[in-house]
Amino acid sequence: MKTVVVNDRSFAYFPKKWKYCIGTGRLGLALQKEYVDHLARLQKELNFQYIRGHGLLHDDIGIYRERKRADGTVEPFYNFTYIDRIFDTFLELNIRPFVEIGFMPKLLASGEQTIFDWQGNVTPPKDYDQWKQLIQAVISHFIDRYGVEEVTKWPFEIWNEPNLINFWQHADKKEYFKLYKITARAIKEVHPYIQVGGPAICGGSDEWITDFLQFCHKEEVPVDFVSRHAYTSAKPHKVTPDYYYQELYENTHMLDELKSVKELIQQSPFPNLPFHITEYNTSYSPINPVHDTVLNAAYLARILSEAGDIVDSFSYWTFSDVFEEAGVPTAPFHGGFGLIALHGIAKPTYHLFSFFNQLGEQLLYRDSQMVVTKKQDGSIQLVVWNLIMEKGEGLEQTVQIELPTQSDAVFIKRKTIDETNGNPWRVWKEMGRPRFPKKNEIDTLQEVAQPLIRTERRDGLSRTLKLELTLSKNEVSLVEVFPIIDETNTYPGLDDRLIPSY
Amino acid sequence: MKTVVVNDRSFAYFPKKWKYCIGTGRLGLALQKEYVDHLARLQKELNFQYIRGHGLLHDDIGIYRERKRADGTVEPFYNFTYIDRIFDTFLELNIRPFVEIGFMPKLLASGEQTIFDWQGNVTPPKDYDQWKQLIQAVISHFIDRYGVEEVTKWPFEIWNEPNLINFWQHADKKEYFKLYKITARAIKEVHPYIQVGGPAICGGSDEWITDFLQFCHKEEVPVDFVSRHAYTSAKPHKVTPDYYYQELYENTHMLDELKSVKELIQQSPFPNLPFHITEYNTSYSPINPVHDTVLNAAYLARILSEAGDIVDSFSYWTFSDVFEEAGVPTAPFHGGFGLIALHGIAKPTYHLFSFFNQLGEQLLYRDSQMVVTKKQDGSIQLVVWNLIMEKGEGLEQTVQIELPTQSDAVFIKRKTIDETNGNPWRVWKEMGRPRFPKKNEIDTLQEVAQPLIRTERRDGLSRTLKLELTLSKNEVSLVEVFPIIDETNTYPGLDDRLIPSY
Amino acid sequence: MKTVVVNDRSFAYFPKKWKYCIGTGRLGLALQKEYVDHLARLQKELNFQYIRGHGLLHDDIGIYRERKRADGTVEPFYNFTYIDRIFDTFLELNIRPFVEIGFMPKLLASGEQTIFDWQGNVTPPKDYDQWKQLIQAVISHFIDRYGVEEVTKWPFEIWNEPNLINFWQHADKKEYFKLYKITARAIKEVHPYIQVGGPAICGGSDEWITDFLQFCHKEEVPVDFVSRHAYTSAKPHKVTPDYYYQELYENTHMLDELKSVKELIQQSPFPNLPFHITEYNTSYSPINPVHDTVLNAAYLARILSEAGDIVDSFSYWTFSDVFEEAGVPTAPFHGGFGLIALHGIAKPTYHLFSFFNQLGEQLLYRDSQMVVTKKQDGSIQLVVWNLIMEKGEGLEQTVQIELPTQSDAVFIKRKTIDETNGNPWRVWKEMGRPRFPKKNEIDTLQEVAQPLIRTERRDGLSRTLKLELTLSKNEVSLVEVFPIIDETNTYPGLDDRLIPSY
Amino acid sequence: MKTVVVNDRSFAYFPKKWKYCIGTGRLGLALQKEYVDHLARLQKELNFQYIRGHGLLHDDIGIYRERKRADGTVEPFYNFTYIDRIFDTFLELNIRPFVEIGFMPKLLASGEQTIFDWQGNVTPPKDYDQWKQLIQAVISHFIDRYGVEEVTKWPFEIWNEPNLINFWQHADKKEYFKLYKITARAIKEVHPYIQVGGPAICGGSDEWITDFLQFCHKEEVPVDFVSRHAYTSAKPHKVTPDYYYQELYENTHMLDELKSVKELIQQSPFPNLPFHITEYNTSYSPINPVHDTVLNAAYLARILSEAGDIVDSFSYWTFSDVFEEAGVPTAPFHGGFGLIALHGIAKPTYHLFSFFNQLGEQLLYRDSQMVVTKKQDGSIQLVVWNLIMEKGEGLEQTVQIELPTQSDAVFIKRKTIDETNGNPWRVWKEMGRPRFPKKNEIDTLQEVAQPLIRTERRDGLSRTLKLELTLSKNEVSLVEVFPIIDETNTYPGLDDRLIPSY
């Protein structure tokens, strides 16, 4: 049995970089009530700083329109009715947009290639002047409505995954750099303090990072941050109408990737640029059932624990299953990216975030399966996990942890998710996988979507608390240890044994 | 091991008479926000029909006042400001008053004897004419504000426990009958359809029932229902500043009592009068810790299961620990009557009520430790308990139950409270019994105040489901069995084994 | 000056048939938060029974989908995820669907003709068997989810305005009758108690009504109600990118139309069929500014007052400007149909409905510009209006009304909308017609969107109250007259003159 | 007609010192739901920083209790159950306690003299050691629960109006100084940064100020601020069971008083101490009908405008009619101090505060009947009033104001309260002064409790806007002037004349 001895002499700072930003389905979905309900819950409990999604310029929000003048010529008409409602909602919920510029409005598109069930156009503008006008109109409107002070806090990222042929016509790097240059300069013309960045690539072609920064350097194009995505799954080995099945790499694979990209930046002409992972998850498919599992949480635990050492932020893709890239969901557990399933059902990974959110800012200890912190009030927090990527039952693991304590009595609170607890996917399978569950089924799924809570008191400690934690397969637990100020002796004559049966 | 075989050929009706009425601390407390919050939750989840409490005429609500006329003489002034707010609140929360007439306004009292920390005056009126005017003014005002149709749905009970010397000066039976006669007639003069009743005695002097009904018969005094209270605890064997310790009788003791009083009514001149238990609980003390325990729930389970066979209603005393009979509570778990502790923390007995609320109306089976029902949708419900009044660990019990089923697969949902689960009192003790818990302690107590939920699927059934339930000491469980309509085969190519680790 | 003398000897019943049903933008919009917010307000204040909108089968809700089987053939897949959420929302808000069957899912369509910015397909099914399967799947799902008792309360209307070539390919009457026959029979096969009806035509071709009922009679096709629409505007005389301008007919024009259609039904083989106006308004255009005006309210007042004499229901088109038939709205006041503008701003016609909602059920008097009712509590209600369709200032009118009263003092409450009051459109114009108003502008528009309230006391009455009401151009007022029970003399020594300045 | 010419070259800062603190009925009332509802509304709309009320140590909150030890001796027991709930509520509503130390717990009192219907004991402690222990226990508990950082933001004021014999036994100055010395030192012993002050006198004996500061200087007693009250009414000339009638002094009387006290402080050994008016209003009686009138608002307008020049804060007594000093209110308009009447009805003075809250921080102009400010967005705000303390009708006044403007078009929004508008007291009188109004009466009173809003557009301005404002008797108006950015010409072809009747 592994034994870990933790002291509290380390004063390392442990910032919550995983809270900087969170992904969302296309922005137009933010008009939906269920979306707003999920986001309100997320913000109340986890309070992310930024939210990033596709589709700012997509035709459902409908910013770009054209109208005929009296003389028959056409003029652009910029319609901000919906984007105002969306951004108003975000700001009311205390989350700012991390703005992704894309995709192409149909009327400005040079081609007909689209992506997703909702048909985002991924072709370059047919006229870069009109594009520039659009971009400047949009930014100016944001400043007019929200003020310069606010808008200069919003990062603007140009396009999404241009290194993929389905996200950018021909994955044409040269065309992307052109788009970037024109767009970034257009933005800075409106206000020089607005932050712009790119190239928002997915993994697999990191030479884009190097080339992009060289290009910006050489062409004197503004760049305030570098962005990239990170998914950790292989190509699918089976695809059905409902689901997409993939193998996962080790989670260290992603950490290694981030380090190597970080090095590319450090070797570039802009070695100190902020580096944002503007999307990450296990699978990149919105119908991969892994997203609904406890494994997903156990797998990502180490990433939440360590990725912040490398990057400036990493943004989980996505907070909610209100999402339509693969069409309207066909079942409540359809393998969507969301932390929150339809009907407001928290998935295991939601609780992973919630557990990490309880951690303190003083890092006492960290290894491949746990992180230990301390808060100013003297309490100690652990998140501990037992990632098991192989098949099979059992596979539990016991760890022994010695924690420093200054009181001779402590109160221990443990919250657990595993196959049995906080796992609505399992319960839904037991129910017979109802596609359109009824009210009492939804109620049950909501009820079971909670961690198990256990509490315990330990007395007679002498500067050390020994915890022995047995973790089931893919369990993730949060353990909080509070010093006790015992008031029992302020109840004179107290005698629980006089209560019947006690 | 006990085995119970249940069939569904019984069509006995199982009404929820325990839901008819619930007790409350003195009505003046209904002005408080915490009170209203607790009541709103209660009504949302359990939806009682009536609420009954002391103090309608107490001086904190201040209905009876006097004023000097210009000529120096005094006239009554009836102030309905607060009682209107209170009854408006009740009706908005979909609960009607079961009105207890009492105690005596100081200005009308013939003596100075009071009860409770809040000093309810328990002496007869100094002037029965003024009393009658007061009663008629109050009833008339209710009709004026809420309408005859509404007010004739409210039972009016005259006084509280007049057979006790601390609730009615000298426990003077003759004086009580006088009070009853004058009050009942005064009410009927205002509107003959309003229901009046008494004698609202506590146990131990059931000759009052007989004498009361004889009196009404002989004197032609209106009486629409008989009321009595029922507590099941002996005299205290220890009293401390904080707590009051008592032994409990068997719970069948209370059922036997109710039967014998029922017989007295049947032998009276009014054999068919409705019989309401307007208060019941284990202990009659608001600082007996038994109220905070799981034992309290396990003990009362049988009463909830069977008392409705005997009486027309029985009203748990009380829904909330917002209560001041023993002064302002000095700790969150102070042994109060409430189903809901301060800070909105549900106690085990709250969940007992919640479990019984899930039962269907078709009674399939009942014995001393379980009740089984069926609903129209084909689902089956059990509440099962393991009452252990002796001390000691272990003491668990296993029961085997065979249930009828028409589908070959069922989904089973079990909710459990016991020493470990849904027991915030235990957790509070672990914390060191903080008298004035801080925010994070309150949060934890609220979080743990939930039943454990477990679910399971059973396949390959052939008209019978065999359940083997192990119940820990004083556990109460709700088990719901739902027929499954399996949709798994509507997911072509589904293969969970392709998910990593599954 | 006109003088009206009203007595209270008439006991005519005045049902609120205008409350039976209300129109909505396409059902898919019911996923939006702003839509739900508007509907919640509507229901809280006005509480309609049914809601009717287009697009049940449109691809945004996405009920009809197809999937490839393993053998490469295609099978239908019915996705109820969104329609369940929508109908759950309606029922939670205490409003039932008045279901319009339409438009055609792309995958079932025989052609490509679409209508509206959101491209509803208006062609017949390419395969009536698949159509029938779809209809039956949908109805069966509704019954499965909501129960037979509920679903048999929902009327099902087949298609929308098939007599218009833009709503039904070629306005092909024969094809419509075929669609109707197959659909109605398909529904009745699922459950014979479900109500079906048609032909949902707009005005101008009422021979469809006659032909439709003859067809149903001859072919023995089920029909439970007749439906038609009614708009009162002429063809547009100017159309701009933002607005559509039309003349209005007299409002009696619509009443006359309804009467003549009612006669057609009475002369048909089904003379007693219920007759529902499933859409009505002044203009049929979603960008006609008349909808935002006080004129719209003054004009419709007589229709609300009288149409219920002729038809079984009439359903205002629509409750909210959350609507996309002409694309995303380009300004808050864009001439939309809604009673409630974007940002939750009530338009004058909203208040017209609110005023009519205050009327009692005993009709005392009615003429072309007022309606007078009485309630059981003795209060009297008037809605009175001064419709002026000509241009110009002034044009106010004074009416004198004598009302019966039984108390010698009354309290009069008058709520008024006119050009000055309850007219956010005017204020928005004063602001310079901001397309995307800012927070403080929205706040102001919400604040001014309230009627003016004036109150008055009248004493010394002797069975009659004489009111002299001056109505400005297009004013609509609600006047409520309450008998006073004066308590002033219960304040001994009261003397307001002792208050400084009084 | 008076003409005022305002320019925008003044950059005087106009802080909202009236928002620093607000008075409340005794703290125990903060347990009530209606109280919390009123406070939540106040904070949402006006957001005060502090709240001050009597009764921290009164027996309804019950902090001080005693218990018998096993040996029969008595020990203090400090019960924080209710005060924690109260202060938790305040802090959740974003308002901090301005703590008044008082009155005397019965068990610590040296005498039996009480004040108010709720019987606050106003005698010195019978034992100053026990008092000191109580004070230190209370302060220590606050620090323990809320943290030092928070509690050092709460001012602690010792007692209330000790210069009045009904608030402090014999108005014994020497005894008060003793109480002050012991209490202030006790507090500072717990934490030296906590602010303490006094002497909290009412007007009429300002030598107490001088003596108090001399005493503190001589005895080296800590003092961090000076406090005093200010009411502007004479002795009553009539008192009835319901009301108390008084004359009012000129409002400048109060301003003069504050100046003279300020001078006393400046001449004292602590010339720079902050000076807080911890209570002010017109009448000091909780049943003076002036509080319900528009006069009260018009009268206080000048005080809100000017008192902040003299003092560091002034705290309106009180925010709500949830108040019991004169017993339970006997009618909704009973002359209570509250800005908000029972049932959540805003009184005129509430709107006065709301109007002042809209003022900007740049003071452009001020005189005896108006104040003019500017905000950073270029808008200009006026509050203007027409105080008329004499009886009679008419008495309106017209003022002409020239305001600077940089746009050639402005949007003007005017909100008005006067005898006709925003005056629920008048409407209640019209209703016959119902003591216990019914639901529809309450609804009407809530509806009329709003200012009248009028809007207007003015074009063709050339750097100056001329406003001519006619003010009715005791009217208070807020006028806001916004520059217009006109978008009318972005609607090509717009022609309102094509709308019927326009």
Side-chain angles (χ1 to χ4, degrees), chain C residues 391 419 447 497 502, chain D residues 391 415 419 447 497 502:
Chain C
K391 293 183 189 305
E419 288 300 328
E447 282 178 318
R497 291 164 308 172
Y502 286 89
Chain D
K391 295 184 188 304
K415 289 189 171 186
E419 288 301 327
E447 282 178 318
R497 290 164 309 171
Y502 286 87

Side-chain angles (χ1 to χ4, degrees), chain D residues 108-125:
Chain D
L108 278 188
S110 59
E112 302 209 334
Q113 187 190 335
T114 66
I115 188 167
F116 302 140
D117 193 77
W118 49 269
Q119 303 186 348
N121 185 293
V122 294
T123 67

Side-chain angles (χ1 to χ4, degrees), chain A residues 406-446:
Chain A
Q406 279 141 21
S407 62
D408 57 49
V410 296
F411 174 74
I412 303 170
K413 179 180 174 186
R414 177 176 176 180
K415 289 190 170 183
T416 293
I417 54 166
D418 59 11
E419 288 300 327
T420 305
N421 300 289
N423 187 355
W425 178 61
R426 174 186 60 78
V427 176
W428 172 74
K429 289 193 296 179
E430 289 172 356
M431 286 175 170
R433 306 188 198 236
R435 286 188 178 277
F436 315 111
K438 294 176 186 168
K439 191 174 178 322
N440 74 324
E441 292 171 323
I442 294 167
D443 288 348
T444 294
L445 292 169
Q446 289 172 339

Side-chain angles (χ1 to χ4, degrees), chain A residues 391 419 447 497 502, chain B residues 391 415 419 447 497 502:
Chain A
K391 294 183 188 306
E419 288 300 327
E447 282 178 317
R497 291 164 308 172
Y502 286 87
Chain B
K391 294 184 190 304
K415 288 188 173 186
E419 288 300 328
E447 282 177 317
R497 291 165 306 172
Y502 285 89

Side-chain angles (χ1 to χ4, degrees), chain A residues 237-238 240-243 245-248 288-290 293-295 330-333 377 388-392 410-413 415 419-421 423 425-436 438 440 443-444 447-448 452-457 473-474 482 484-488 490-502, chain B residues 237-238 240-243 245-248 288-290 293-295 330-333 377 388-392 410-413 415 419-421 423 425-436 438 440 443-444 447-448 452-457 473-474 482 484-488 490-502:
Chain A
H237 43 80
K238 184 173 183 185
T240 78
D242 290 296
Y243 296 111
Y245 298 102
Q246 298 165 285
E247 290 300 328
L248 289 182
N288 187 324
V290 75
T293 67
V294 180
L295 171 72
T330 59
F333 291 93
D377 64 5
I388 303 288
M389 293 182 65
E390 64 190 281
K391 294 183 188 306
V410 296
F411 174 74
I412 303 170
K413 179 180 174 186
K415 289 190 170 183
E419 288 300 327
T420 305
N421 300 289
N423 187 355
W425 178 61
R426 174 186 60 78
V427 176
W428 172 74
K429 289 193 296 179
E430 289 172 356
M431 286 175 170
R433 306 188 198 236
R435 286 188 178 277
F436 315 111
K438 294 176 186 168
N440 74 324
D443 288 348
T444 294
E447 282 178 317
V448 301
L452 177 68
I453 306 183
R454 281 163 293 183
T455 62
E456 184 190 352
R457 176 187 173 122
K473 180 178 173 180
N474 288 326
F482 300 93
I484 287 177
I485 299 162
D486 203 311
E487 301 183 36
T488 303
T490 73
Y491 299 78
L494 179 79
D495 188 352
D496 286 349
R497 291 164 308 172
L498 299 178
I499 306 170
S501 100
Y502 286 87
Chain B
H237 43 79
K238 184 172 181 185
T240 76
D242 290 294
Y243 295 112
Y245 298 102
Q246 297 166 286
E247 290 300 327
L248 289 181
N288 187 325
V290 75
T293 67
V294 180
L295 171 72
T330 59
F333 290 94
D377 64 4
I388 303 288
M389 293 182 66
E390 64 190 280
K391 294 184 190 304
V410 296
F411 173 73
I412 303 169
K413 179 180 174 187
K415 288 188 173 186
E419 288 300 328
T420 307
N421 300 288
N423 187 356
W425 178 61
R426 174 186 59 78
V427 176
W428 172 74
K429 290 193 295 179
E430 290 171 355
M431 285 174 172
R433 307 189 197 236
R435 287 188 177 276
F436 315 111
K438 294 176 187 168
N440 73 324
D443 288 348
T444 294
E447 282 177 317
V448 301
L452 177 68
I453 307 182
R454 282 163 291 183
T455 63
E456 186 189 352
R457 176 185 174 123
K473 180 176 173 180
N474 288 325
F482 300 92
I484 287 178
I485 300 162
D486 203 311
E487 301 183 36
T488 303
T490 73
Y491 300 78
L494 179 78
D495 189 351
D496 286 349
R497 291 165 306 172
L498 298 178
I499 306 169
S501 99
Y502 285 89

